Amino acid sequence: MDEPRKRAGRGRAPAAVGRTGRPRQAEVARLAGVSQATVSLVLAGKKQGAAISEETRQKVLDAAGSLGYVPDPAARRLAAARNGLLGVFSFTATFPTDVQHSYYPFLVGVEQEAAAQGYDLVLFTGSSRGGAGATGPQALNRARLADGCLLLGRHAPVDELRRLVDDGFPVVHLGRRDEPEGLAWVGADYVSASREVVHRLAALGHRRIILVREDDDAPASTDREQGFLEGVEAAGLPGGHAAVFRCADPERELGPERLRQWVAEGVTAFVAEETDSGAAWRALSKAARDAGLHCPGDISLALLGSPPPDLADGPQPTGFDIPRAQLGAAAVRLLATLVAGEDAPDPLVACTFRPGASTGPPPKALGDIA
Amino acid sequence: MDEPRKRAGRGRAPAAVGRTGRPRQAEVARLAGVSQATVSLVLAGKKQGAAISEETRQKVLDAAGSLGYVPDPAARRLAAARNGLLGVFSFTATFPTDVQHSYYPFLVGVEQEAAAQGYDLVLFTGSSRGGAGATGPQALNRARLADGCLLLGRHAPVDELRRLVDDGFPVVHLGRRDEPEGLAWVGADYVSASREVVHRLAALGHRRIILVREDDDAPASTDREQGFLEGVEAAGLPGGHAAVFRCADPERELGPERLRQWVAEGVTAFVAEETDSGAAWRALSKAARDAGLHCPGDISLALLGSPPPDLADGPQPTGFDIPRAQLGAAAVRLLATLVAGEDAPDPLVACTFRPGASTGPPPKALGDIA
DNA sequence: TTGTAAGCGTTATCAG
DNA sequence: CTGATAACGCTTACAA
C-alpha cells in the first residue's frame, strides 16, 4: 500500500525524479520528511499567518537547497496564475530598427521598477513571421506566460488586444490609448505641462501667445492644446481658438511674413507642439530667423516637449521633458497593481519644466503697447 | 451521474469557462460535440497518421474558431514539455533592443531562423536586481518557460548554467565556450578563416609573415593563432612560434623601429588579430604609418576579423568577416535540433574572406632578397 | 476513428 | 500546524 495511485497513463514508472530530470517539490518533501504541500507552503514564504514551525521550515529549506530545487515557472503559472514574470511586448517590425524610435529610455525605467516590485521581465516581439503564430492571431498569446504584460507601441492588433483585455488579462499600454476600451495605459501629463509653460510665459509678462500645432488629432496633440488653452485662460489672457494656429504643413504655411504680422499685432510669444517630425518647432525657429526676429530678445519661443535629436545641441528651447524612465516605471507600477487585482492609480506622469534659453520677458516697447 | 468527479478542492463550482475567463479545449469540445482529447489531437494538427475524420476535424476547427480559442502556453509547456518558444538570454544591463547594441546583428539571424523553424522568441535579461531572482540563483530558471534557450554573452553564471545543462535543458551558447562541460555552442570558424588569409598572402608572394596578437588566451585568440600557424605551414613558409608576436600592450610594444627591423629581416606581411579593443590592428597600422612604410606598397597588412567601428570608413583591411546573422541562424538551428532530441550538427560557421585594400604583392627588391 | 484517463509540477483548500 | 487531494489546461498512451 505504498503506492495507492494507479500507474500513469503514459506508462512510465513513477521515478524518483520528474521527466525533466530536475528535482520537484516531491523530492524535497521526501528528503525533508514532510508532505509536498508543506514544501510548497514553506517555499512560498508567506509572512502572514506564519503557520509553519521553524523546525520544519529549516528542514524544507535545507532539503531544497541541497537538491538545488528551482520551481518550474510554467507549472507555477498554471496552478497559481502567477509566476512573478511581467511580459513586455514591442510590436516593431523586427527588433527595433529605428534608433530614434528606440524604447530604450522607457525600458530603463521598466526594468528598474520591475525589479523593485519583485518581478522579472520577459520580452516579446511581434516580429517573427511564420512562427508558431507571432503574426497570426496568437502573437499576443505568448504574453499569457507572464502574469501581465506591457505594450510598447501602437502596432498591437486591436482584436487580439481586446481579447486579452476582455479575458481580464492585465495589460498596460505605454502611452495614452483609447482602443480597445478598457485597456489600461500610462501617459505623460501633457495638459498640465503645457499649462505650466503658458503660465511661465505669462509670468514673464507676455500677454499674447500663439500655439502652433500640426493638423493631427492624436491625443498627444489635443492634450497639449487643451493645456495651452487652460493656461491662457488661467492667466486671463486673450485666448480662445484665435490663439491656436493649426496647419497641415508648418514649413510652408508658417513663413516670416506671417510671423512679422503676428508680432505687429502684439504677439510676443509662440509655443510649438512637439511631434515626431518636430515640424512645428522647426518651422517656427526658421521663420523667426528669416524674419530677423531675435529670440529671446524680440520674441519668446517655447516647445511643448523635447527638441528633436538633430537640434539637441543648439540652445535649449524652453519647454518640458517627458520623463521616459519614470513613465516606464509608472507603467510597471500600474501593471503590478492590476496583477494584484487592486485598483488602478492615476495613469498620468508629470513632465518636468525645462527653463531653456528661448524665452525671456517681452520687449518693452511692444509688450507695453499691447 | 452527470458529475462523477468530486468537487474541486478549491471550492469553485465547475464553470462553463475556466478561471481565466477564456475558452479551454473543454469548451471547444462541448461545442463541437466531441471529447476534449479529440480537440487536442485536431489542434495539434499532426499530419502523420491522420487518424481523424475530416468531418470531426472541421467541426472542431469551426468550434475553436467561433470561440476564439487560443492555447495556453504555460499548460502546453507543462504537459508536453514544449510550447514552440525559444528563449534568448542576454546578461546585459537592458534588453538588447537597440540597433546600436552589439548583439543586434546576431539577433537578426536568430529571429529569421527561429521564424523559419516555426518558433517564436522570448527574450530574457539577467539585469534585473532584486527581482524574483534574476540576479539570484534563478535568473536562468525563467528560461524553462521555453523549449530551449540561446545564451548571448559570457556573463551567464556558470553554476546555474551547469544546472540547466545537466538537467538536459537545451541550451546553446552563441560563441565558442568550454564551460560548463556539455554546453552546446556555435562559433565562427576562426581557424579556417585565418588559414585562408595566410594562404592568400602566400599566394601573393609573401614568404615571411608575422602575426601580432594580444596576450590573451581566449579561444578566439587561440583559434586565430592556430589557423595562422596552419596556414604558414601549409604554404611551406618559415614559421613556428618565431612568427608570432605576442604582446600585452600593442600600442607600446609595437613601435615603428620594431617594424622596420622586421622588414629589414625580410618580413613583408603582418597579420593582426581582431579583439574587442582592436588594439593589435590599431597599433600595427600606426607603427606602419610612423615608420613611413606604405601599405600595401611597402608592406601588406591583414586583419583576422572586421575593423573596429571607428576605423570602418578608412580603406578596407584585407581579412575576413564574421557572418553574424548566419551565426545567429546557426545557433537557432542547433537549438532546434537539440529541442527535437536530435544530434548536434557542426557548430562552426564559415567566415567570408574580405579582399580589402591593405594587401598586395611584396615589393620586388625586398621580397627577392629574402 | 474517438473517448477515457493519467499525469506534467505547482498552488490552495480543507479535514485532521 | 500538517497532509491528502482537487485543480490549473493540456498532451498522450491506451482502450473501446
Side-chain angles (χ1 to χ4, degrees):
Chain A
M1 284 301 133
D2 248 336
E3 194 63 53
R5 286 203 172 179
K6 291 249 296 296
R7 279 284 228 62
R10 196 161 300 173
R12 290 175 67 270
V17 78
R19 172 184 54 181
T20 56
R22 156 178 45 119
R24 299 160 297 179
Q25 290 189 343
E27 269 77 58
V28 178
R30 208 163 304 161
L31 185 61
V34 301
S35 85
Q36 181 266 334
T38 304
V39 174
S40 177
L41 282 181
V42 171
L43 263 39
K46 300 269 185 200
K47 302 290 176 187
Q48 63 170 196
I52 263 123
S53 75
E54 192 48 37
E55 192 190 333
T56 359
R57 203 184 134 67
Q58 267 313 326
K59 271 193 304 189
V60 169
L61 254 31
D62 290 349
S66 80
L67 256 57
Y69 168 84
V70 283
D72 181 329
R76 232 185 162 89
R77 169 101 189 112
L78 182 58
R82 41 179 306 146
N83 58 8
L85 294 179
L86 295 183
V88 178
F89 235 105
S90 89
F91 270 91
T92 38
T94 44
F95 287 105
T97 285
D98 193 340
V99 191
Q100 309 283 7
H101 254 266
S102 179
Y103 293 121
Y104 189 85
F106 295 106
L107 287 175
V108 172
V110 168
E111 285 198 329
Q112 279 196 349
E113 185 63 23
Q117 300 270 338
Y119 282 101
D120 281 333
L121 295 177
V122 177
L123 178 66
F124 305 95
T125 63
S127 60
S128 323
R129 301 180 163 262
T135 28
Q138 314 202 3
L140 267 176
N141 201 47
R142 284 174 285 168
R144 300 195 199 261
L145 279 172
D147 295 349
C149 102
L150 221 64
L151 246 46
L152 241 48
R154 31 189 61 260
H155 299 293
V158 186
D159 292 338
E160 248 194 285
L161 193 48
R162 195 191 316 279
R163 208 43 234 255
L164 225 49
V165 171
D166 286 352
D167 287 351
F169 186 83
V171 187
V172 169
H173 188 261
L174 208 152
R176 181 167 159 173
R177 172 155 182 166
D178 300 326
E179 231 190 8
E181 187 167 9
L183 174 64
W185 53 266
V186 295
D189 186 356
Y190 295 129
V191 176
S192 300
S194 301
R195 195 182 332 112
E196 162 95 5
V197 169
V198 173
H199 172 72
R200 301 272 187 151
L201 286 171
L204 283 172
H206 296 275
R207 309 306 309 164
R208 289 209 52 194
I209 309 174
I210 281 184
L211 166 68
V212 177
R213 61 167 291 190
E214 298 182 30
D215 199 17
D216 180 352
D217 277 316
S221 282
T222 313
D223 285 359
R224 286 176 165 94
E225 173 166 335
Q226 184 191 331
F228 173 81
L229 293 175
E230 287 181 17
V232 164
E233 185 169 11
L237 307 185
H241 288 288
V244 176
F245 181 65
R246 182 170 183 144
C247 51
D249 185 354
E251 305 278 355
R252 206 174 304 270
E253 301 175 46
L254 184 60
E257 324 75 38
R258 180 122 230 172
L259 208 61
R260 261 195 232 99
Q261 187 189 334
W262 275 324
V263 170
E265 289 170 6
V267 177
T268 57
F270 294 84
V271 167
E273 139 183 80
E274 179 207 17
T275 58
D276 294 339
S277 62
W281 173 255
R282 211 181 301 270
L284 192 55
S285 317
K286 183 167 186 299
R289 252 195 328 274
D290 293 351
L293 291 166
H294 213 74
C295 160
D298 302 327
I299 58 174
S300 285
L301 304 181
L303 171 61
L304 301 182
S306 303
D310 56 311
L311 300 181
D313 39 349
Q316 280 293 299
T318 299
F320 57 81
D321 290 309
I322 300 159
R324 294 175 210 272
Q326 288 180 49
L327 248 178
V332 170
R333 265 193 306 274
L334 173 51
L335 186 52
T337 65
L338 290 183
V339 168
E342 295 163 15
D343 279 341
D346 183 1
L348 289 182
V349 174
C351 298
T352 59
F353 181 76
R354 165 171 28 81
S358 65
T359 50
K364 258 295 178 235
L366 288 162
D368 286 354
I369 290 172
Chain B
M1 287 299 131
D2 247 336
E3 194 63 54
R5 287 205 172 174
K6 295 248 298 294
R7 277 286 228 64
R10 196 163 300 174
R12 291 176 68 267
V17 79
R19 169 184 58 180
T20 57
R22 151 178 52 114
R24 299 159 297 177
Q25 289 188 344
E27 270 78 58
V28 178
R30 209 164 301 162
L31 185 61
V34 299
S35 84
Q36 180 263 336
T38 303
V39 173
S40 175
L41 282 180
V42 171
L43 263 39
K46 300 270 185 198
K47 301 290 175 186
Q48 65 171 193
I52 262 119
S53 76
E54 191 49 37
E55 192 189 334
T56 0
R57 202 183 134 69
Q58 267 313 323
K59 270 193 305 190
V60 169
L61 255 30
D62 289 350
S66 79
L67 255 57
Y69 169 82
V70 285
D72 181 328
R76 231 186 165 88
R77 170 101 188 111
L78 182 58
R82 39 180 304 142
N83 58 9
L85 294 179
L86 294 184
V88 178
F89 233 104
S90 89
F91 278 84
T92 48
T94 45
F95 288 128
T97 283
D98 207 302
V99 221
Q100 309 280 32
H101 196 101
S102 45
Y103 290 138
Y104 187 82
F106 296 106
L107 288 175
V108 172
V110 167
E111 195 173 49
Q112 278 196 351
E113 186 62 23
Q117 301 268 340
Y119 282 100
D120 281 333
L121 295 178
V122 179
L123 301 191
F124 305 94
T125 63
S127 62
S128 325
R129 302 183 161 264
T135 30
Q138 315 202 1
L140 269 175
N141 201 47
R142 287 174 284 169
R144 302 198 197 259
L145 280 172
D147 295 348
C149 102
L150 220 64
L151 247 47
L152 279 176
R154 35 189 58 260
H155 298 293
V158 186
D159 292 337
E160 251 195 283
L161 191 48
R162 194 193 316 279
R163 206 48 233 255
L164 226 48
V165 172
D166 287 351
D167 289 350
F169 186 82
V171 187
V172 169
H173 188 261
L174 208 152
R176 181 166 160 177
R177 173 158 181 162
D178 302 323
E179 232 191 7
E181 188 168 8
L183 174 62
W185 52 266
V186 297
D189 185 356
Y190 296 129
V191 177
S192 301
S194 301
R195 195 183 330 115
E196 163 98 4
V197 169
V198 173
H199 173 71
R200 301 269 186 153
L201 285 172
L204 283 173
H206 295 275
R207 309 306 310 166
R208 289 208 52 191
I209 310 173
I210 281 184
L211 166 68
V212 177
R213 61 166 291 191
E214 298 182 29
D215 198 19
D216 181 351
D217 278 316
S221 281
T222 312
D223 286 358
R224 285 176 166 95
E225 174 168 333
Q226 186 191 329
F228 172 81
L229 294 175
E230 287 182 16
V232 164
E233 185 170 11
L237 308 184
H241 289 289
V244 176
F245 181 66
R246 184 170 180 145
C247 51
D249 185 351
E251 306 278 354
R252 207 175 303 272
E253 301 175 46
L254 184 60
E257 323 75 39
R258 179 121 232 171
L259 210 59
R260 260 195 233 101
Q261 187 190 333
W262 275 323
V263 170
E265 292 170 4
V267 177
T268 56
F270 294 84
V271 168
E273 135 182 86
E274 180 206 18
T275 57
D276 296 338
S277 60
W281 175 253
R282 213 181 303 268
L284 193 54
S285 319
K286 184 165 184 299
R289 253 197 327 275
D290 292 351
L293 291 167
H294 214 72
C295 159
D298 302 326
I299 58 174
S300 285
L301 304 181
L303 172 60
L304 301 182
S306 304
D310 55 313
L311 300 180
D313 38 347
Q316 280 293 300
T318 299
F320 58 79
D321 289 308
I322 300 159
R324 295 172 209 274
Q326 289 180 47
L327 248 179
V332 170
R333 265 193 306 273
L334 173 52
L335 187 52
T337 65
L338 290 185
V339 168
E342 295 163 15
D343 278 340
D346 183 4
L348 290 182
V349 174
C351 298
T352 60
F353 180 76
R354 165 169 32 79
S358 65
T359 50
K364 259 287 179 247
L366 288 164
D368 286 351
I369 291 175

